[in-house]
Amino acid sequence: MATLRQAPPTTGSAAPATTPPRRRRAPVSAHRRRRRWLGLAYLAPALAVYALVVVGPAVQGVWLSFYHWNGITAATWAGLDNYTGFLSDPTLRQAVEHTLFFIVFFSVLPIVLGLISAALTARKDVKRAGIYRWIIFLPQVLTPAVTAVVWKRIYAPQGPINSVLRAFGLDALTRGWLGDYGWALPALGLAGTWAAFGLCMVLFIAGTQAIPSELYDAARVDGAGPVREFFVVTLPGLRGQLAVVVTLTVLGALRVFDIVWLTTRGGPGTSTVTPTIVLYQRAFADPDVGAASAIGVILAVVSLVIALIVVKLSEDNK
């Protein structure tokens, strides 16, 4: 008796698709939930202090920026007048120009000098490089108030600069540097370069030490000299440090106050005035708390935008 056999499936026929069973999330145990709440409980005091000291005053500052208030009498609604006044005030426009000038001295020059110093002193065959780094980094140990006092004495009419000029018979070049309309701003800019130079150099040196030595060896095998080695290996390897340094130095130039106030107080005239000097004068000398708050809000927003741009550019380069 013949038996019927089932024909094997053809190669062209598709097997029925099987979907893998979904994994169910394991329920969060009560122990884990307690650990999360315990962590928040540990953070709660710090968050409360931060909200009280930082968030609260910041919100209050934004609120006051929409009012005219001298700190004593009742406040009156100003709307956006304090913000439009920032753009139309000639003193504030001049202060913004001075800030752009300070960015060159507080950011661009220290970064360039720091890169050069890092490239020179990071090489192992440089003698006494540690002493040189220590001397350059010394300004970072000093407070801004001490830095201002030191440079105020250096620029004094009987200070070291004028004494050296007189010793070489250049009496015609001597002057009260911080009292001169044309030289007060560059003099403060050089002091800012001196103060920021050490930080840039130390960060760049730390970055160069993290670059693999194999990259330098490969560049030398390809015939790269010191200059090409710097642009091909060192500079690309310092993108992260460059982002940090640009952010710190540019924001430092935007909110510079100590060295200007303790040396020139924005003078002579308004030749060294900055937005922070105007903010201080509007808040305390000629009380207009609303206008001062608007200046502070604008500076905070500009600082945040600059920081976000630098971070975005550094991430894109990576």
Side-chain angles (χ1 to χ4, degrees), residues 275-286:
T276 52
I277 295 292
V278 178
L279 187 155
Y280 180 85
Q281 292 173 341
R282 298 280 172 86
F284 300 103
D286 185 17

Side-chain angles (χ1 to χ4, degrees), residues 12-313:
S13 61
T18 59
T19 57
R22 291 184 179 180
R23 286 186 177 182
R24 293 184 178 180
R25 289 186 178 180
V28 180
S29 63
H31 178 67
R32 285 188 178 182
R33 284 197 294 268
R34 283 197 299 268
R35 289 185 63 182
R36 289 179 183 177
W37 284 110
L38 184 62
L40 291 176
Y42 280 125
L43 288 175
L47 293 175
V49 172
Y50 182 81
L52 181 65
V53 176
V54 178
V55 178
V59 173
Q60 186 181 22
V62 174
W63 177 73
L64 287 174
S65 66
F66 295 101
Y67 287 85
H68 291 302
W69 186 45
N70 61 3
I72 300 175
T73 60
T76 58
W77 176 255
L80 296 176
D81 290 348
N82 292 324
Y83 291 95
T84 56
F86 184 95
L87 302 175
S88 60
D89 191 337
T91 303
L92 278 169
R93 285 203 303 268
Q94 189 179 19
V96 172
E97 294 172 1
H98 294 164
T99 299
L100 298 177
F101 185 86
F102 276 140
I103 287 175
V104 176
F105 281 90
F106 281 62
S107 181
V108 178
L109 284 180
I111 288 175
V112 173
L113 295 175
L115 286 172
I116 295 173
S117 299
L120 293 177
T121 62
R123 305 175 74 91
K124 297 180 180 179
D125 54 350
V126 177
K127 295 181 179 180
R128 299 177 181 175
I131 299 176
Y132 171 76
R133 297 171 191 170
W134 180 82
I135 294 174
I136 298 300
F137 187 73
L138 182 61
Q140 291 298 314
V141 181
L142 305 177
T143 63
V146 174
T147 301
V149 172
V150 168
W151 281 96
K152 190 174 182 179
R153 294 192 176 185
I154 292 174
Y155 288 134
Q158 303 300 326
I161 295 179
N162 287 335
S163 299
V164 171
L165 292 175
R166 292 190 189 98
F168 285 94
L170 301 174
D171 295 42
L173 298 179
T174 60
R175 67 193 72 232
W177 299 94
L178 296 178
D180 189 282
Y181 278 87
W183 283 98
L185 193 64
L188 292 178
L190 289 175
T193 301
W194 177 79
F197 176 25
L199 175 64
C200 298
M201 184 197 66
V202 169
L203 289 177
F204 290 146
I205 289 176
T208 56
Q209 292 176 348
I211 299 175
S213 59
E214 292 81 4
L215 297 179
Y216 290 101
D217 296 336
R220 295 189 188 104
V221 169
D222 291 340
V227 176
R228 186 182 173 190
E229 183 181 302
F230 172 77
F231 284 101
V232 173
V233 179
T234 304
L235 194 58
L238 294 176
R239 287 197 185 109
Q241 287 75 15
L242 272 172
V244 174
V245 168
V246 168
T247 303
L248 292 177
T249 54
V250 172
L251 296 186
L254 286 175
R255 53 187 176 85
V256 59
F257 176 79
D258 310 72
I259 192 170
V260 179
W261 184 256
L262 294 174
T263 52
T264 65
R265 301 204 171 207
T270 57
S271 59
T272 60
V273 72
T274 62
T276 52
I277 295 292
V278 178
L279 187 155
Y280 180 85
Q281 292 173 341
R282 298 280 172 86
F284 300 103
D286 185 17
D288 189 352
V289 179
S293 299
I295 296 173
V297 171
I298 292 174
L299 289 178
V301 172
V302 172
S303 300
L304 178 62
V305 170
I306 291 174
L308 292 177
I309 291 174
V310 172
V311 170
K312 179 63 177 177
L313 290 177

